[in-house]
Amino acid sequence: MLRYALIFLVIALIAAFLGFGGIAGASAGIAKILFVAFLVLFVISAVMHVLRKAT
C-alpha cells in the first residue's frame, strides 16, 4: 500500500511540473488517503503484535 502511495505521489509531482493541476491535485489526494490508510493499518498491526507477545 505504501508503494501505491509513493507511485501516486510521483505522478502528482510530474503532473504538477508539467502544469496539469487537476491531475496533480487528484493524485496528491489519492496519495494522502493511501498513506493514512497505511499508517492506520501499520499502527493496528504493531499494537496487535505487542499484545500477542504479552500473552
Side-chain angles (χ1 to χ4, degrees):
M1 188 173 300
L2 186 57
R3 173 188 268 175
Y4 292 127
L6 292 174
I7 289 171
F8 277 105
L9 178 63
V10 169
I11 290 172
L13 291 173
I14 292 171
F17 179 73
L18 295 175
F20 299 112
I23 296 172
S27 295
I30 292 170
K32 286 179 189 177
I33 291 169
L34 288 174
F35 185 71
V36 169
F38 167 77
L39 284 179
V40 168
L41 291 174
F42 175 74
V43 168
I44 291 171
S45 175
V47 168
M48 294 302 289
H49 180 73
V50 169
L51 291 176
R52 191 169 295 153
K53 289 277 185 166
T55 59

